[in-house]
């Protein structure tokens, strides 16, 4: 079963999973990996001027046998040093395209003035340089400021979303849902790649065992349960196939989803340990500090191995 698409406010369809070209591919020749993603079944490629991968995506698009109409391209305005339109022209040149499907404000701070900046985005859509416009890394308050002045509301807000930050993002997700703004989630495998050994592991592993899935797949199923589109990456063909197989898995139960939420609310390993230690005021301060340092060192060591596995 394919991931399918999500309908946006402006009527266009957004593929529900994207291959991202930031993180491990940033500033690197991503041509082969983009081709591999397209050949594996990804139809949505996510990039940004900041990633410096647009020209490699352009090469991959030229080399693929897939028609442009079957490929969805997202890129982002990443630098306030040039105008929105100049940045778009540069991106289109590097991508070797006449338009992109989705253009995002990469970071809120790039827009000196939200109203004039968003008007520039709206003009890009009016001129046919992008089909849809949206934002990335916007808080609820920042998104509300855009929505208040927009003639065309952002159709997407791309944010970091994983079990360990879900509690703080919950209000933002609810606001986006009420406004009809689709949330795109990146760095969703945080509990596996950056914070292994935390409270989320046990509940994710239990769910994985029940449905015959990998922990990665359970996390992505959890993201889907929140109504979010997935943005992910890997240099491994096997990993890409693993991710694309998520819709074929049995669904998570409401109890499993709630258990992941609750485990994530405890925080990552270091935060969880600090919370536990603080309950016991008899622990000497010097011992507490030593434990935190040792934990941090172990976490860094473990994370390095997990990251290499995912990539």
């Amino acid at each position: 079963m394919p991931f399918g698409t999500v309908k946006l406010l402006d009527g266009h369809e957004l593929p529900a999973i994207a291959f991202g070209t930031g993180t491990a591919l940033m500033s690197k020749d991503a041509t082969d990996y983009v081709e591999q993603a397209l050949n594996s079944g990804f139809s949505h490629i996510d990039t940004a001027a900041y990633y410096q991968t647009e020209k490699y995506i352009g090469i991959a698009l030229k080399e693929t046998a897939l028609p442009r109409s079957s490929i969805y391209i997202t890129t982002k305005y990443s630098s306030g040093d040039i105008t929105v339109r100049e940045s778009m022209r540069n991106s289109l040149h590097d991508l070797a395209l006449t338009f992109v499907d989705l253009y995002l404000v990469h970071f809120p701070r790039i827009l000196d003035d939200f109203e004039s900046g968003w008007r520039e985005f709206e003009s890009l859509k009016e001129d046919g340089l992008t089909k849809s416009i949206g934002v990335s890394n916007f808080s609820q308050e920042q998104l509300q400021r855009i929505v208040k002045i927009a003639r065309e509301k952002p159709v997407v807000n791309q944010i970091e979303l994983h079990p360990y930050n879900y509690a703080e993002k919950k209000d933002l997700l609810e606001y986006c849902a009420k406004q009809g703004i689709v949330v795109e989630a990146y760095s969703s495998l945080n509990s596996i790649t950056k914070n292994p050994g935390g409270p989320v592991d046990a509940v994710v592993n239990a769910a994985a065992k029940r449905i015959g899935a990998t922990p990665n797949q359970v996390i992505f199923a959890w993201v889907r349960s929140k109504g979010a589109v997935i943005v992910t990456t890997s240099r491994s063909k096997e990993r890409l196939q693993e991710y694309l197989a998520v819709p074929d898995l049995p669904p998570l139960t409401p109890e499993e989803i709630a258990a992941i939420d609750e485990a994530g609310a405890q925080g990552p390993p270091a935060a969880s340990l600090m919370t536990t230690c603080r309950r016991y005021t008899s622990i000497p301060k010097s011992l507490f500090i030593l434990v935190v340092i040792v934990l941090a060192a172990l976490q860094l060591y473990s994370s390095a191995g997990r990251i290499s596995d995912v990539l």
Side-chain angles (χ1 to χ4, degrees), residues 189-233:
L189 299 178
N190 175 284
S191 61
I192 295 172
T193 61
K194 295 182 180 179
N195 286 294
V200 166
D201 289 12
V203 291
V204 166
N205 291 339
K209 183 176 181 180
R210 183 188 71 81
I211 65 176
T214 68
N216 292 338
Q217 290 174 320
V218 170
I219 292 293
F220 285 145
W222 174 85
V223 172
R224 281 164 59 84
S225 77
K226 304 304 180 185
V229 167
I230 296 164
V231 181
T232 188
T233 192

Side-chain angles (χ1 to χ4, degrees), residues 68-141:
R68 171 69 179 94
S69 59
S70 69
I71 302 172
Y72 193 100
I73 301 295
T74 295
T75 192
K76 309 175 189 78
Y77 172 56
S78 301
S79 173
D81 293 336
I82 59 176
T83 68
V84 171
R85 188 166 290 266
E86 287 173 326
S87 182
M88 170 62 95
R89 292 291 185 189
N90 291 342
S91 291
L92 292 176
H93 176 270
D94 287 344
L95 290 163
L97 297 175
T98 57
F99 71 93
V100 295
D101 297 279
L102 177 62
Y103 198 50
L104 306 180
V105 181
H106 202 164
F107 311 101
R109 66 178 182 271
I110 295 171
L111 300 182
D112 292 329
D113 177 75
F114 275 19
E115 182 166 3
S116 62
W118 190 247
R119 290 286 176 261
E120 290 185 73
F121 266 72
E122 291 173 329
S123 72
L124 293 180
K125 182 177 180 182
E126 291 168 2
D127 293 344
L129 300 180
T130 181
K131 290 185 176 181
S132 301
I133 50 177
V135 297
S136 179
N137 300 303
F138 271 56
S139 68
Q140 181 175 334
E141 185 274 333

